[in-house]
C-alpha cells in the first residue's frame, strides 16, 4: 500500500468544488482512499488518528489544501494524482457558458418571450408554488421535483387542463419536447413516434429501443409516476394522448407505465377508441385482453412495445435487427453455475427497468423479493439484505433519502454489489447503466473496479459469478453506448441489447434441471 | 456586495484578476468597476427571542425532520462514510459538538471552550464543518433576550483561538458570528423559526441549506442546537 501526499500552498476552492473533487478522486481506478481538504490542525489530527499523518503534512498551514491518496502501489498513487490534477485543471478552466439565469419565473417570462415551457427542479416543498406561477404565465411545466402532495398535483393538473397546457410531473424525470431532451432523456433520432410515459426509465428505454430499431421520436411526454393512480385519474396521460393525436408529426403513439389503477386504465383504454392513430400499450405486468378490446396494440415488454411502434411507423420489418435472445449463451452459463447458485440479484437505478426484469423473473420463480414488490408479501424485511431472488430499485425513497439519485451518485449500488457478489447462493447479478443528459458521466467506469475484484474473488473460491449488464443509451449519447459496452466486456460482463433481454438472460441463467 | 449574476465568467472575470480600490471605485482588473461612493454598510440584525414558545417548538421539530431528509451529510449530519478519514472526521465532530452542548447546558465554560476550540478547522469544505456549526450556535447566543446570551463574552474569548486553527475565510465568518454578525439568510431563518409559519420557516431553512456543500446543513444544525439549549435553559 502506498500513500501519496501533495500540499497545494494557499489554495482555496469553494466547498461544493472541494466535495465534488473529493468524490471523483475516490472513484479513480486503483485508489483505495483519497481525500482533499484544508490542512487545518484539526483535519491533520484526523489524519493522525487514521495513521496517515506525515512530517510534510504536519508542516502544512490552514490556508493550504492537502491531497492524500492511498493506493495499492506508488505507481497507482501517481496515476491517481495525475487524474486528480486533471480534475483541478478542468475545474479551473470551466469558464461558464452563456446560459442566462433568472431569479424568478416572472423575470424569465418577461425576458424570454419565446419560452413556452418551464422545468421546475426546486425542493418539493416549494415546487407546486413555482409550477402554479409557470402555468399562470401560460408555460407548459415539467416538474422534476418530487415530494409534492397529491392534492397539489391534482390542482396543478386541473389548471393545466383548463388552460390547454401540459403539466408533466411531479417526479417527471424524462421528456423530449420538440427534439429537445429534458432532464434524464437520451439523445435519439427525430421521428414520427410519440411516447406518453408515467415512468421515467421506462420512457427512456422505449425511446432508446425505437432509436436502435431505426425509428425516431416526435415527442416524449412524461406524466409523473402518480398520474395513473385512482386519485389523480390519469389527467395528464389523457391530455397527452389527445395532444399527440392532434400532432401532425406523430404517426404512432406508445403508452408506458407500471400497472395503472383499474378505473384509470379503463379511462385510458376508452380514450384509445377515440384516437385515429395506432396506440401501443405497455403497462408492465398488465394483461392483453383489455388492450386488444380497446383497439390498442398490446406489448408485454418495453422491447416489444418499441418494436411494434417502429413497424407501425412504416419501417420495413425485414430491415430491423431485432437482437434475438442468445439461447446458446443461456445453456453455456447454466453449466458454469453450481447447483446452489440459484438466485438472481437485480441492482437497478431505473424503477421500471427493475420492475420489468422482476416481472420476467416472477413468470418463472415464486420467491422473488423486492423493495418495490407487486405483492406486499414479497416486500424485503430489510431492504439492505437480500432474500431469494431479489430486485432492488436504488432510486426508491429508502435509498435516496438525503442522497442523490443512483443515476447521479452510484456509491450505494457499488457497496451493495460487493455484498451480493460474496453470497455463494447468487448465480447472476443484473445491473442497468443509464446514460442521459443528467446522469453520471461514466456509470460503467465507476462500477468496473468492483466487478473485476468480485469476479476474481469468486474465481478464487471456485465459483463462476455471472454478471449481466445493460446500458440504456444511444450512439448519440455522451458517453456513447459503445464506449460503455467496451468497458463492460473488458470487465468480463455479459451485456444485453435491451432491458427485456437482460431480464430474460438472467432468469434463464439460473434455471435448474431443465 | 450582493449580486444577482449567476456567474462572474459572463463578465470575463477569472481567478487571478487584480482587485483594487481607487477614487471611490472598486476595480477588478480592467473588466469591472463598481462605485462605492454612496454605499451604506449592511449590518445583520437578529430578532428578539420570543416569550411564547409554541411556534419555536413546532418549527424546531419540523426543521429537524426536514434536515434529516434534505440536509447534506458528511459533516455534523452523519452517514456511513466511505473512507476512514470521513468516518473519523464525523466521529470527532459528533463527540465534540455533543461535548460542547453538554458543557454549555451545565455552564461548564472551560470545558465548553475545550470542545469549541477542537471543533475549529475540523471537517471537509472550505469552511470546515466544525466552524459552520459554531457560526450557527454563536448566532443563537446573540439573539436579544436569548436565555443563553450570557455566553456572548465566551464566544469572543474562544474565537481568538480560531485565527490559528482555521483558514482566513472561515475565521472571518467565525469572528463576525462571535459578535452577532451573520449572513442575512441565517437571520431570516432564526426569525422564521421563532415567529413564522412552518411553510415560511422551511423556505428560510432551504435557503440556509443551500449554502456551500454541507456548510448550510452544519450551520442549520448549530442553530437548532442553540435554540434547543435556549428552551432547556428557560426551564431550569
Amino acid at each position: 500500500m502506498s500513500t501519496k501526499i501533495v500540499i497545494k500552498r494557499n489554495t482555496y476552492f469553494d466547498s461544493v468544488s472541494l466535495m465534488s473533487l473529493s468524490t471523483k478522486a475516490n472513484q479513480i481506478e486503483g485508489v483505495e482512499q483519497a481525500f482533499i481538504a484544508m490542512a487545518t490542525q484539526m483535519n491533520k489530527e484526523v489524519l493522525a488518528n487514521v495513521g496517515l499523518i506525515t512530517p510534510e503534512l504536519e508542516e502544512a498551514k490552514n490556508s493550504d489544501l492537502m491531497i492524500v491518496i492511498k493506493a495499492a502501489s506508488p505507481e497507482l498513487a501517481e496515476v491517481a494524482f495525475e487524474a486528480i490534477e486533471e480534475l483541478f485543471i478542468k475545474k479551473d478552466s470551466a469558464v461558464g457558458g452563456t446560459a442566462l439565469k433568472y431569479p424568478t419565473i416572472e423575470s424569465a417570462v418577461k425576458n424570454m418571450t419565446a419560452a413556452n415551457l418551464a422545468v421546475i427542479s426546486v425542493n418539493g416543498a416549494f415546487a407546486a408554488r413555482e409550477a402554479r406561477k409557470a402555468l399562470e404565465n401560460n408555460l407548459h411545466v415539467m416538474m422534476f421535483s418530487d415530494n409534492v402532495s397529491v392534492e397539489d398535483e391534482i390542482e396543478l393538473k386541473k389548471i393545466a387542463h383548463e388552460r390547454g397546457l401540459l403539466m408533466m410531473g411531479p417526479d417527471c424525470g424524462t421528456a423530449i419536447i420538440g427534439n429537445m431532451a429534458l432532464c434524464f432523456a437520451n439523445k435519439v433520432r427525430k421521428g414520427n413516434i410519440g411516447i406518453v410515459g408515467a415512468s421515467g426509465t421506462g420512457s427512456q428505454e422505449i425511446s432508446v429501443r425505437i432509436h436502435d430499431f431505426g425509428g425516431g421520436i416526435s415527442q416524449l411526454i412524461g406524466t409523473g409516476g402518480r398520474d395513473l393512480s385512482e386519485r389523480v385519474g390519469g389527467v395528464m396521460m389523457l391530455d397527452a394522448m389527445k395532444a399527440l393525436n392532434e400532432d401532425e408529426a406523430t404517426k404512432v403513439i406508445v403508452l408506458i407505465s407500471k400497472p395503472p389503477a383499474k378505473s384509470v386504465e379503463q379511462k385510458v383504454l376508452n380514450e384509445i377508441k377515440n384516437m385515429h392513430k395506432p396506440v401501443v400499450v405497455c403497462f408492465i405486468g398488465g394483461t392483453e385482453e383489455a388492450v386488444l378490446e380497446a383497439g390498442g396494440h398490446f406489448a408485454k415488454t418495453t422491447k416489444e412495445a418499441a418494436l411494434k411502434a417502429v413497424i407501425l411507423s412504416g419501417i420495413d420489418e425485414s430491415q430491423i435487427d431485432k437482437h434475438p435472445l442468445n439461447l446458446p449463451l443461456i445453456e453455456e452459463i447454466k453449466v458454469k453455475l453450481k447447483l446452489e447458485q440459484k438466485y438472481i440479484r437485480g441492482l437497478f437505478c431505473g424503477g421500471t427497468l427493475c420492475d420489468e426484469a422482476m416481472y420476467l423473473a416472477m413468470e418463472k420463480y415464486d420467491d422473488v423479493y423486492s423493495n418495490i414488490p407487486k405483492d406486499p408479501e414479497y416486500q424485503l424485511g430489510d431492504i439492505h439484505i437480500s432474500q431469494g431472488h431479489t430486485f432492488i430499485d436504488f432510486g426508491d425513497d429508502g435509498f435516496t433519502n438525503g442522497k442523490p439519485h443512483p443515476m447521479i451518485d452510484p456509491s450505494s449500488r457499488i457497496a451493495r454489489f460487493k455484498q451480493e457478489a460474496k453470497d455463494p447462493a447468487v448465480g447472476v447479478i443484473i445491473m442497468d447503466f443509464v446514460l442521459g443528459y443528467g446522469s453520471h458521466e461514466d456509470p460503467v467506469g465507476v462500477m468496473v473496479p468492483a466487478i473485476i475484484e468480485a469476479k476474481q474473488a469468486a474465481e478464487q473460491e471456485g465459483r463462476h459469478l455471472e454478471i449481466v449488464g445493460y446500458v440504456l443509451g444511444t450512439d448519440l449519447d455522451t458517453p456513447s453506448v459503445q464506449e460503455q459496452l467496451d468497458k463492460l466486456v473488458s470487465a468480463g460482463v455479459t451485456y444485453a441489447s435491451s432491458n427485456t433481454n437482460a431480464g430474460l438472460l438472467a432468469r434463464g441463467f439460473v434455471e435448474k434441471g431443465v | 456586495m450582493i449580486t444577482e449574476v449567476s456567474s462572474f465568467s459572463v463578465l470575463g472575470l477569472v481567478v487571478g484578476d487584480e482587485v483594487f480600490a481607487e477614487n471611490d471605485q472598486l476595480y477588478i482588473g480592467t473588466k469591472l468597476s463598481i462605485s462605492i461612493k454612496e454605499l451604506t454598510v449592511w449590518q445583520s440584525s437578529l430578532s428578539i427571542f420570543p416569550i411564547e414558545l409554541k411556534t419555536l417548538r413546532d418549527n424546531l421539530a419540523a426543521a429537524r425532520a426536514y434536515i434529516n431528509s434534505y440536509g447534506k451529510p458528511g459533516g455534523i449530519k452523519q452517514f456511513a462514510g466511505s473512507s476512514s478519514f470521513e468516518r473519523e472526521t464525523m466521529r470527532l465532530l459528533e463527540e465534540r459538538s455533543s461535548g460542547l452542548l453538554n458543557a454549555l447546558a451545565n455552564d461548564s465554560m472551560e470545558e465548553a471552550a475545550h470542545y469549541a476550540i477542537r471543533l475549529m478547522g475540523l471537517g471537509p469544505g472550505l469552511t470546515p464543518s466544525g466552524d459552520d456549526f459554531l457560526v450557527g450556535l454563536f448566532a443563537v447566543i446573540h439573539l436579544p433576550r436569548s436565555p443563553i446570551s450570557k455566553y456572548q463574552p465566551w464566544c469572543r474569548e474562544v474565537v481568538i483561538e480560531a485565527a490559528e486553527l482555521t483558514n482566513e475565510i472561515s475565521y472571518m465568518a467565525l469572528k463576525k458570528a462571535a459578535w452577532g454578525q451573520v449572513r442575512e439568510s441565517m437571520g431570516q431563518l432564526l426569525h422564521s423559526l421563532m415567529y413564522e409559519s412552518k411553510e415560511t420557516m422551511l423556505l428560510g431553512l432551504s435557503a440556509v441549506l443551500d449554502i456551500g456543500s454541507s456548510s448550510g446543513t452544519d450551520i442549520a444544525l448549530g442553530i437548532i442546537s442553540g435554540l434547543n439549549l435556549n428552551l432547556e435553559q428557560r426551564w431550569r
Side-chain angles (χ1 to χ4, degrees):
Chain A
M1 196 57 66
S2 171
T3 304
K4 182 173 175 69
I5 289 152
V6 178
I7 310 288
K8 286 182 172 276
R9 305 281 171 207
N10 288 314
T11 302
Y12 290 99
F13 279 91
D14 64 276
S15 294
V16 176
S17 301
L18 273 183
M19 301 289 212
S20 156
L21 285 167
S22 211
T23 305
K24 286 179 179 165
N26 271 291
Q27 291 163 353
I28 294 171
E29 199 177 335
V31 170
E32 189 196 302
Q33 269 188 52
F35 49 84
I36 304 167
M38 299 307 291
T40 61
Q41 194 177 314
M42 296 304 157
N43 283 340
K44 288 188 282 186
E45 184 189 333
V46 174
L47 284 178
N49 290 357
V50 295
L52 288 172
I53 197 74
T54 65
E56 192 187 2
L57 280 169
E58 292 277 20
E59 293 300 310
K61 296 191 168 53
N62 292 328
S63 55
D64 297 340
L65 189 70
M66 54 184 183
I67 303 169
V68 182
I69 305 159
K70 204 172 160 190
S73 66
E75 293 74 29
L76 279 175
E78 192 55 44
V79 171
F81 173 66
E82 279 167 19
I84 292 171
E85 278 288 81
E86 266 180 40
L87 292 173
F88 275 109
I89 293 162
K90 273 189 199 162
K91 178 72 206 157
D92 263 351
S93 59
V95 178
T98 54
L100 290 172
K101 243 185 180 176
Y102 296 99
T104 64
I105 285 177
E106 287 86 348
S107 61
V109 168
K110 197 171 147 195
N111 290 290
M112 298 173 68
T113 49
N116 66 356
L117 185 144
V119 178
I120 308 284
S121 179
V122 298
N123 190 288
F126 321 116
R129 186 187 60 188
E130 296 305 316
R132 204 169 288 121
K133 277 188 211 165
L135 292 170
E136 282 163 3
N137 280 288
N138 283 322
L139 297 175
H140 299 289
V141 170
M142 176 181 187
M143 189 189 273
F144 187 69
S145 315
D146 58 0
N147 292 314
V148 174
S149 73
V150 72
E151 290 79 12
D152 278 333
E153 178 172 354
I154 292 167
E155 190 202 331
L156 290 168
K157 286 186 169 167
K158 185 166 174 267
I159 297 171
H161 177 78
E162 284 163 1
R163 288 175 171 257
L165 296 166
L166 299 175
M167 176 63 222
M168 297 183 277
D171 200 13
C172 176
T174 305
I176 301 174
I177 305 294
N179 208 31
M180 175 69 76
L182 300 170
C183 297
F184 286 131
N186 299 84
K187 235 177 179 174
V188 292
R189 195 178 299 110
K190 195 175 178 182
N192 57 12
I193 301 171
I195 301 172
V196 187
S199 127
T201 46
S203 302
Q204 275 184 270
E205 172 64 357
I206 289 188
S207 70
V208 161
R209 292 277 64 76
I210 287 172
H211 177 91
D212 183 43
F213 289 140
I217 304 300
S218 56
Q219 313 281 354
L220 190 170
I221 301 174
T223 67
R226 274 191 318 221
D227 190 68
L228 299 184
S229 65
E230 194 80 46
R231 288 189 68 186
V232 182
V235 180
M236 184 64 238
M237 183 163 276
L238 293 167
D239 281 356
M241 287 167 73
K242 285 173 194 158
L244 291 181
N245 201 32
E246 300 304 315
D247 177 29
E248 283 183 14
T250 301
K251 274 192 172 175
V252 181
I253 297 164
V254 183
L255 310 181
I256 165 79
S257 170
K258 295 176 185 179
K262 268 290 153 217
S263 64
V264 183
E265 182 179 14
Q266 201 48 56
K267 267 198 258 183
V268 171
L269 295 178
N270 284 342
E271 186 60 34
I272 292 176
K273 292 174 188 162
N274 301 325
M275 303 189 54
H276 58 263
K277 295 177 182 176
V279 180
V280 180
V281 180
C282 179
F283 292 157
I284 301 289
T287 50
E288 189 167 11
E289 297 75 22
V291 175
L292 295 182
E293 198 182 310
H297 299 259
F298 173 79
K300 191 173 88 169
T301 62
T302 49
K303 181 180 176 182
E304 189 184 349
L307 189 59
K308 282 190 173 169
V310 168
I311 294 167
L312 285 164
S313 77
I315 290 181
D316 181 357
E317 189 175 351
S318 66
Q319 299 302 309
I320 300 172
D321 179 357
K322 295 178 185 169
H323 305 294
L325 194 63
N326 190 341
L327 297 173
L329 178 68
I330 291 178
E331 294 310 314
E332 189 188 315
I333 301 299
K334 274 165 77 169
V335 174
K336 287 185 183 176
L337 296 178
K338 292 181 177 178
L339 202 61
E340 64 268 27
Q341 286 186 282
K342 54 184 179 180
Y343 292 128
I344 307 168
R345 297 287 152 81
L347 309 178
F348 286 87
C349 296
T352 303
L353 305 182
C354 182
D355 260 330
E356 182 174 39
M358 178 166 67
Y359 275 90
L360 289 170
M362 282 161 58
E363 287 179 348
K364 289 255 180 196
Y365 310 110
D366 293 329
D367 49 347
V368 180
Y369 292 84
S370 177
N371 61 331
I372 52 160
K374 184 186 179 189
D375 180 348
E377 198 185 320
Y378 291 93
Q379 171 73 43
L380 287 168
D382 177 346
I383 59 170
H384 301 290
I385 298 170
S386 296
Q387 56 188 114
H389 300 284
T390 294
F391 289 79
I392 299 287
D393 170 14
F394 281 89
D396 198 47
D397 290 349
F399 290 97
T400 56
N401 236 338
K403 291 192 80 178
H405 192 279
M407 274 155 67
I408 302 166
D409 175 3
S411 52
S412 312
R413 186 167 75 156
I414 295 174
R416 182 61 171 262
F417 168 79
K418 290 179 179 173
Q419 183 182 317
E420 300 297 347
K422 287 179 190 158
D423 185 345
V426 170
V428 56
I429 298 176
I430 172 172
M431 288 186 284
D432 59 344
F433 300 93
V434 183
L435 310 181
Y437 285 103
S439 300
H440 190 278
E441 60 212 25
D442 184 12
V444 172
V446 291
M447 182 60 86
V448 160
I451 291 174
I452 292 172
E453 200 182 316
K455 279 184 95 67
Q456 281 171 353
E459 205 176 308
Q460 278 166 13
E461 289 170 17
R463 64 188 162 93
H464 171 79
L465 176 64
E466 183 61 26
I467 299 167
V468 175
Y470 168 57
V471 180
L472 191 166
T474 71
D475 48 339
L476 303 174
D477 279 323
T478 307
S480 75
V481 168
Q482 195 53 51
E483 185 194 326
Q484 295 285 291
L485 289 182
D486 290 346
K487 287 184 181 175
L488 280 182
V489 171
S490 68
V493 174
T494 299
Y495 72 85
S497 58
S498 62
N499 192 63
T500 307
N501 279 17
L504 291 170
L505 284 173
R507 80 176 193 187
F509 289 161
V510 293
E511 198 171 6
K512 308 289 179 192
V514 181
Chain B
M1 184 171 75
I2 296 171
T3 172
E4 281 200 346
V5 296
S6 58
S7 165
F8 287 112
S9 59
V10 293
L11 302 171
L13 306 184
V14 292
V15 175
D17 278 347
E18 192 185 5
V19 180
F20 59 97
E22 199 176 86
N23 301 328
D24 295 328
Q25 296 278 324
L26 178 71
Y27 293 93
I28 301 177
T30 54
K31 298 162 187 166
L32 184 68
S33 72
I34 302 159
S35 170
I36 50 174
K37 198 173 181 182
E38 290 175 22
L39 288 186
T40 52
V41 177
W42 176 82
Q43 296 274 341
S44 80
S45 69
L46 297 173
S47 298
I48 296 170
F49 190 76
I51 294 166
E52 169 53 53
L53 297 175
K54 186 176 181 319
T55 304
L56 176 58
R57 285 186 200 286
D58 291 349
N59 277 340
L60 275 179
R64 257 187 240 109
Y66 191 87
I67 291 172
N68 275 339
S69 295
Y70 301 111
K72 173 121 192 204
I76 301 285
K77 184 179 172 185
Q78 307 271 307
F79 78 118
S82 56
S83 71
S84 57
F85 181 78
E86 282 176 348
R87 287 191 290 274
E88 179 63 5
T89 302
M90 286 188 290
R91 186 187 73 77
L92 292 178
L93 284 167
E94 161 61 21
E95 180 186 288
R96 292 169 186 183
S97 56
S98 310
L100 168 61
L101 295 171
N102 283 335
L104 287 175
N106 295 319
D107 285 338
S108 306
M109 303 319 289
E110 243 180 67
E111 196 188 345
H114 168 87
Y115 284 116
I117 288 165
R118 276 154 190 80
L119 279 170
M120 289 168 180
L122 176 61
L126 176 59
T127 53
S129 298
D131 295 0
D132 290 326
F133 179 81
L134 289 172
V135 165
L137 180 64
F138 287 178
V140 178
I141 290 173
H142 284 82
L143 293 175
R145 293 192 202 153
S146 164
I148 56 170
S149 60
K150 59 188 175 188
Y151 301 145
Q152 287 178 12
W154 172 85
C155 295
R156 287 157 209 164
E157 259 173 51
V158 294
V159 87
I160 293 167
E161 303 285 338
E164 295 298 317
L165 292 171
T166 192
N167 62 65
E168 284 175 40
I169 293 170
S170 196
Y171 171 60
M172 284 314 292
L174 269 171
K175 192 176 160 190
K176 289 280 178 190
W179 290 88
Q181 291 293 306
V182 292
R183 58 170 86 202
E184 194 175 14
S185 58
M186 286 176 62
Q188 283 172 350
L189 171 59
L190 278 161
H191 177 82
S192 64
L193 276 161
M194 297 186 291
Y195 296 104
E196 301 284 358
S197 67
K198 181 180 150 191
E199 199 189 23
T200 308
M201 182 278 292
L202 288 179
L203 266 173
L205 178 57
S206 178
V208 169
L209 293 184
D210 280 346
I211 297 170
S213 180
S214 63
S215 291
T217 302
D218 298 324
I219 291 170
L221 287 170
I223 287 176
I224 287 177
S225 303
L227 288 169
N228 267 335
L229 269 181
N230 265 338
L231 293 177
E232 287 166 15
Q233 295 260 335
R234 266 181 78 90
W235 294 105
R236 278 192 190 178

